[in-house]
Amino acid sequence: MAVGEPVPHGTHNMMSGGIVIGPMVMGRDVTVELPAAVPSALNGLHAGTSQFVGRGAILRELLDLLAPGAAGSTVVQVSAVAGLAGVGKTELALQAAHQALARGWFPGGALMVDLHGYEPEPKRLESGQALSGLLRALCVPDEHIPPGVQDRERLYRAILAEYAAQGRRILVVIDNASSGNQAAPLLPGAGAAIVTSRHTLADLDGRLLDLDVLSAPEAVDLLDRLLRLKRGDADTRVADDPGQARRLVEFCSGLPLAVAIVAALLAAQPAKPLARMAADLAAEHARPAELRYEQTAVRAAFDLSYGNLDDAQGRLFRLLTVNPGPEVSTEAAAILSGLEERPARRLLEELARAHLIEPAGVYGRWRMHDLVRLYASDLGEANAGQDDRMGARARLLEYYLTTSWNASSHLNPTITDPAAHGFGYQEQALAWLDAELPNLVAACRTGAELTPFAGMVMARSLGHYLVRRRRFEEWVELATLAVHASRRLSDRHAECKALGDLGAALMNARRFTEAITTCRDAVALCRETGDRRGEGMALGNMAQALREMRQPEEAMIACRDADVIFRETGFRREEGLALATLGGVLLQSRQFEEAVVACRDAAAILRETGDRDNEGTALVNLGLALVETHRFEEAVAACRDAIAIFRDTGNRHGEVLPLTNLGVALQELGRHEEAVTTHQDTVAMYRETDDRDGEGRALAHLGRALARSQRYEEAVTTCRDAVEILRETGDRHNEGLALTGLGVALHETHRLEEAITTTRVAVTILREVGDRHHEGWALINLGLDLMDARRFTEGIDACLDATAIFRETGDRDNEGTALANLRLVLGKMVRPGDTDPTSAFSP
């Protein structure tokens, strides 16, 4: 038919197998054939890296969202992948897109557009520009692309819908969107989309996926793969020096961009050792500048995110690095910025959406990636004047100082109404201190350098909390800072208190030799300055350390001197503390009746003065003294009273001490299964409070209880575990006691040679630490082991040594036991077949 002739009535054409955009040509014999292949622009994804590591879980989650039927074939699926600059969002999207195409989920192909949402205006794509590019990729001629954004959007979605209707769904990858508004016009009405952004785009309908940094092993793997990719398998620097490789990726803080830059720098210099590269990155202030290769730099990536902040967001971002610890609360951020809490919270949430900060485990606490912190700190120093950085630091330090004192007042027995200081109840105060401890320790360091008085006061205020939580090494550090601060201030009275705290901290940290030296220094200084209370407290702490060093005579003198001071000066509570310590020293000296009196008096005074925790401690020692005087029912009552006190005060670790003594008392009453159960509870509580030395001691008690219950194999295993832990913690005395119990259990399981070897080691240790009583009992056990092994001469020697020890120490009862066993060994030597039921093993 010639052009221009009318079309006969009823003539029509059918076109199939494609999509036509533009005018339709009608005619009787028109045939249009579309190419079988999809347009090349629909297969134009960037290639993903072959060195893709550590993203298995989130990649599977993303692919599950893209799978056919996951959200319906005609409903848009959006997976908004957000995260820090350089964390690998684009790479994750590419990996997912390529795998989805390879599985045939998107027969129509894929489109990708980079919106450059964090670039300056000339490079950033507006929605209209992006739609124009996508339409061209779909083979729409320029003259048919509508001028208006809404018209382009309708045409774009219509084309994608037609592809979907023909079974040729298309995947759209929208990269680097700075906001939901920038990405929303590009979402298909059918098919699926992946959107990447440094912001969390919660305003888009779709699943939000936040991409985290790599773990250290994953980052090391990536570094190794990249070096081998660039330099071949001959580059074995990572495998040859795994320690330095780990150090390098720690400097990169798991950021894939930073790891890639380090790999590029190393690949460019194949002879450069990893240690030299690590040295280049070791200085924190220089690290962001070092992480650069050609035009790729960590700082440049961060610059783009920072450039999108408004003035208020930028100021808070910079000021957050004033906080000395690893994370900051909303309340503290408001204090340092000088804002009310509500606007500060809004700004923090906006920074989190931009992934310049991130939630720190619980809502209301925030942290920064290490490299972002360094970057923000540099900006903060550069803008210190306009941000009032010094004022922010002063406000924050005052907040931590005041609030930590208010919270710690709930643990200070000398404060009668702690709730008046800002925390309604103890659990609330402890929760705040638990959350803020890293900040408080860091603030003490900062305060000691910049404001010595504030650092000193804060260190002192945290003492009660650190004791309750058994954070003794932190207490040592803070008390040391307080000592240095007081000396910088030339404040002799403050130095007395700080030295006393340091002595107590060292004693609790089991650094007994240092504790004794420090306490002696404190005593001397307190005498010089006339601080009688401080002198008495230092003497009490020194007595405890001397007792742990098994120097009971010196410990007794220190205790009695402290008691005299407190009686003379009228410090009633402190008198109770001195008596409680004296009770412990009398126990070690085996003066049990005197110990009972001292502990009863201490408990009464501490009850009267309202010091519940230390009353409980006095009752703990009382229970042990009552066990030694064979008043077992009274011992059970004292232990139960102590347990009730510690439960009432919420002192979980304190509760475990009387529980141990309760187990011993029950054992002596012949209630062996109850004793076993009690000691098992004790072990569990020590594990719960992460007290390894306590766990070892509790296992030793449990092993002895199991042996008394004739559960010998269990006793062997338990005692071995106790010995291992006590050896690890350096607790030689209790290691010796645990070895004694292990020797008994081995004897009962007929492993005589092991029993002999084990008990000999126990004797040696107990002799070294000066525990003559338990050395004597270990020798009695050794004599019986040797007798049953038919090594009679050695057995006689062991029993004679035990007899000499008990005679020397005036212990007539146990001297008699040793002599009875000596007669038994002698009798066995003469009449090997005889048995004697009177032989005794150490409990």
Side-chain angles (χ1 to χ4, degrees):
M1 179 177 295
V3 176
E5 292 185 17
V7 178
H9 180 69
T11 300
H12 66 279
N13 305 129
M14 178 177 290
M15 305 183 66
S16 62
I19 299 169
V20 176
I21 301 159
M24 175 68 73
V25 178
M26 298 294 290
R28 187 182 64 194
D29 298 318
V30 175
T31 300
V32 178
E33 292 185 3
L34 292 177
V38 296
S40 60
L42 289 174
N43 284 329
L45 290 176
H46 300 305
T49 178
S50 59
Q51 312 307 319
F52 187 70
V53 299
R55 303 302 197 193
I58 195 168
L59 178 59
R60 285 191 295 274
E61 187 175 357
L62 184 48
L63 286 168
D64 286 345
L65 293 169
L66 298 177
S73 60
T74 61
V75 178
V76 64
Q77 270 175 288
V78 181
S79 300
V81 180
L84 176 68
V87 80
K89 300 177 295 296
T90 300
E91 185 59 42
L92 176 67
L94 285 170
Q95 293 288 334
H98 281 293
Q99 289 198 33
L101 290 176
R103 296 177 188 187
W105 294 348
F106 296 96
L111 292 168
M112 182 170 183
V113 58
D114 186 347
L115 297 180
H116 298 286
Y118 298 89
E119 299 279 358
E121 282 297 334
K123 196 170 182 180
R124 184 181 304 180
L125 287 187
E126 298 302 329
S127 300
Q129 294 173 282
L131 283 166
S132 180
L134 289 169
L135 288 168
R136 289 190 187 94
L138 289 164
C139 294
V140 178
D142 282 355
E143 62 270 22
H144 295 306
I145 296 176
V149 174
Q150 288 187 348
D151 290 336
R152 291 178 185 180
E153 195 175 332
R154 279 192 290 269
L155 178 59
Y156 165 71
R157 288 207 175 98
I159 295 171
L160 293 184
E162 185 61 32
Y163 269 97
Q166 294 186 18
R168 299 166 67 186
R169 294 172 71 228
I170 290 176
L171 173 64
V172 182
V173 179
I174 304 166
D175 196 26
N176 275 318
S178 61
S179 68
N181 288 337
Q182 190 185 21
L186 312 184
L187 299 178
I194 303 173
V195 183
T196 76
S197 176
R198 298 182 186 186
H199 283 73
T200 298
L201 305 181
D203 51 340
L204 295 180
D205 291 333
R207 179 73 62 85
L208 295 172
L209 302 176
D210 284 322
L211 191 58
D212 204 351
V213 295
L214 297 172
S215 68
E218 291 166 349
V220 169
D221 186 22
L222 177 60
L223 179 63
D224 186 40
R225 288 180 182 222
L226 289 172
L227 283 177
R228 291 176 186 274
L229 175 69
K230 297 171 190 296
R231 283 289 175 181
D233 288 341
D235 193 332
T236 60
R237 281 178 283 182
V238 170
D240 294 342
D241 199 347
Q244 289 297 332
R246 176 78 180 228
R247 189 166 171 235
L248 270 177
V249 300
E250 285 174 356
F251 289 147
C252 296
S253 302
L255 191 68
L257 174 62
V259 176
I261 290 171
V262 168
L265 292 168
L266 288 168
Q269 301 182 67
K272 186 171 187 174
L274 299 192
R276 180 63 259 175
M277 186 76 241
D280 293 344
L281 297 177
E284 283 191 344
H285 66 279
R287 197 172 301 156
E290 290 286 344
L291 289 170
R292 166 185 292 278
Y293 186 82
E294 299 294 343
Q295 300 305 308
T296 304
V298 168
R299 181 179 289 277
F302 293 163
D303 280 340
L304 294 179
S305 292
Y306 175 70
N308 279 269
L309 301 180
D310 63 28
D311 290 345
Q313 293 166 344
R315 178 175 178 270
L316 180 57
F317 175 66
R318 297 188 296 269
L319 284 177
L320 286 177
T321 59
V322 169
N323 186 65
E327 58 184 57
V328 66
S329 68
T330 300
E331 184 179 6
I335 294 291
L336 69 85
S337 62
L339 297 171
E340 294 294 325
E341 192 166 330
R342 182 171 295 183
R345 174 177 52 76
R346 283 199 298 268
L347 290 174
L348 289 164
E349 289 175 346
E350 288 162 3
L351 291 173
R353 282 197 291 274
H355 285 84
L356 287 169
I357 64 174
E358 58 185 7
V362 296
Y363 180 74
R365 300 193 67 80
W366 313 90
R367 64 186 172 209
M368 276 184 177
H369 183 273
D370 289 347
L371 292 177
V372 176
R373 173 177 284 277
L374 294 175
Y375 171 79
S377 183
D378 287 348
L379 291 171
E381 294 299 332
N383 294 274
Q386 71 180 60
D387 290 345
D388 186 24
R389 198 170 176 85
M390 287 300 293
R393 181 176 284 113
R395 287 192 300 274
L396 187 65
L397 188 58
E398 181 181 359
Y399 163 73
Y400 282 141
L401 174 60
T402 302
T403 315
S404 63
W405 190 90
N406 291 341
S408 296
S409 67
H410 281 268
L411 305 171
N412 187 341
T414 65
I415 295 177
T416 55
D417 185 16
H421 298 287
F423 288 90
Y425 48 92
Q426 188 184 97
E427 290 77 10
Q428 184 185 17
L430 281 169
W432 186 87
L433 288 164
D434 289 342
E436 295 295 351
L437 181 61
N439 286 325
L440 298 176
V441 172
C444 285
R445 296 186 191 117
T446 303
E449 293 172 9
L450 303 176
T451 316
F453 179 76
M456 180 176 63
V457 172
M458 191 184 304
R460 291 219 73 214
S461 74
L462 289 171
H464 293 290
Y465 164 75
L466 294 169
V467 170
R468 170 61 66 87
R469 290 299 194 231
R470 301 187 64 78
R471 305 294 292 264
F472 298 129
E473 289 303 332
E474 284 99 331
W475 193 16
V476 169
E477 179 189 354
L478 297 193
T480 302
L481 289 172
V483 170
H484 294 327
S486 63
R487 287 172 179 167
R488 284 178 62 189
L489 295 167
S490 300
D491 188 334
R492 303 280 276 168
H493 290 284
E495 186 181 348
C496 286
K497 293 179 174 59
L499 277 171
D501 287 347
L502 179 57
L506 288 164
M507 191 273 298
N508 279 283
R510 304 188 62 78
R511 294 162 61 175
F512 302 124
T513 303
E514 296 170 79
I516 292 166
T517 301
T518 302
C519 288
R520 284 187 173 136
D521 291 344
V523 168
L525 186 59
C526 288
R527 285 174 181 163
E528 223 178 276
T529 60
D531 183 350
R532 296 281 279 160
R533 180 184 179 278
E535 180 187 350
M537 294 298 290
L539 283 166
N541 289 329
M542 183 167 69
Q544 291 188 61
L546 287 164
R547 185 189 66 184
E548 292 288 349
M549 294 288 287
R550 306 202 66 78
Q551 299 176 39
E553 293 82 6
E554 290 184 67
M556 192 84 70
I557 293 169
C559 278
R560 296 199 186 281
D561 288 348
D563 185 48
V564 169
I565 287 171
F566 294 134
R567 286 177 190 271
E568 289 177 353
T569 55
F571 285 107
R572 188 75 169 144
R573 170 180 166 271
E574 287 74 5
E575 180 188 345
L577 295 175
L579 283 170
T581 303
L582 177 61
V585 175
L586 288 165
L587 269 168
Q588 187 181 68
S589 301
R590 306 193 65 74
Q591 300 177 51
F592 301 125
E593 291 296 345
E594 294 91 335
V596 169
V597 173
C599 292
R600 283 198 198 281
D601 290 347
I605 292 171
L606 293 164
R607 185 180 308 121
E608 166 199 318
T609 56
D611 190 342
R612 298 280 283 160
D613 273 335
N614 281 307
E615 178 193 350
T617 301
L619 288 170
V620 169
N621 285 344
L622 176 60
L624 196 53
L626 289 166
V627 166
E628 294 289 357
T629 55
H630 298 179
R631 290 138 77 176
F632 303 123
E633 293 292 354
E634 290 180 71
V636 168
C639 291
R640 292 198 191 283
D641 287 346
I643 291 168
I645 286 172
F646 289 126
R647 284 180 180 166
D648 186 50
T649 62
N651 189 341
R652 186 74 167 153
H653 193 275
E655 185 183 337
V656 79
L657 297 172
L659 199 63
T660 300
N661 292 348
L662 176 62
V664 173
L666 291 168
Q667 193 170 297
E668 295 297 339
L669 286 168
R671 293 154 64 176
H672 298 307
E673 288 307 319
E674 284 182 76
V676 167
T677 301
T678 301
H679 287 308
Q680 287 171 336
D681 291 344
T682 305
V683 171
M685 290 173 69
Y686 274 121
R687 285 174 179 161
E688 178 190 320
T689 55
D690 197 27
D691 183 343
R692 288 286 281 168
D693 191 65
E695 180 187 347
R697 286 183 275 115
L699 283 167
H701 280 294
L702 175 58
R704 285 192 285 275
L706 288 165
R708 292 283 287 272
S709 298
Q710 299 184 6
R711 294 158 63 177
Y712 298 120
E713 287 296 346
E714 292 176 76
V716 167
T717 301
T718 302
C719 288
R720 285 195 199 282
D721 290 345
V723 169
E724 183 179 344
I725 290 173
L726 292 164
R727 192 167 288 155
E728 169 198 317
T729 62
D731 189 341
R732 291 282 281 167
H733 179 230
N734 282 299
E735 180 190 346
L737 297 179
L739 284 164
T740 303
L742 176 59
V744 172
L746 288 166
H747 182 106
E748 295 296 346
T749 54
H750 310 294
R751 288 175 261 186
L752 290 177
E753 289 305 320
E754 282 186 79
I756 290 166
T757 302
T758 299
T759 308
R760 282 195 193 281
V761 176
V763 169
T764 301
I765 291 174
L766 293 166
R767 184 177 300 137
E768 282 176 7
V769 300
D771 187 346
R772 300 287 278 161
H773 173 77
H774 286 106
E775 179 192 348
W777 264 111
L779 283 164
I780 287 176
N781 293 351
L782 180 60
L784 295 175
D785 292 337
L786 291 162
M787 178 188 72
D788 284 352
R790 305 184 61 75
R791 293 160 62 176
F792 299 116
T793 303
E794 294 172 80
I796 291 168
D797 288 342
C799 290
L800 285 170
D801 288 345
T803 303
I805 286 172
F806 290 126
R807 184 172 297 146
E808 175 192 320
T809 58
D811 189 341
R812 298 285 289 167
D813 287 342
N814 285 316
E815 181 186 349
T817 302
L819 285 169
N821 281 5
L822 175 61
R823 285 192 294 272
L824 176 64
V825 177
L826 287 167
K828 279 274 192 178
M829 188 175 179
V830 176
R831 298 181 297 278
D834 284 0
T835 60
D836 188 333
T838 63
S839 63
F841 268 103
S842 169

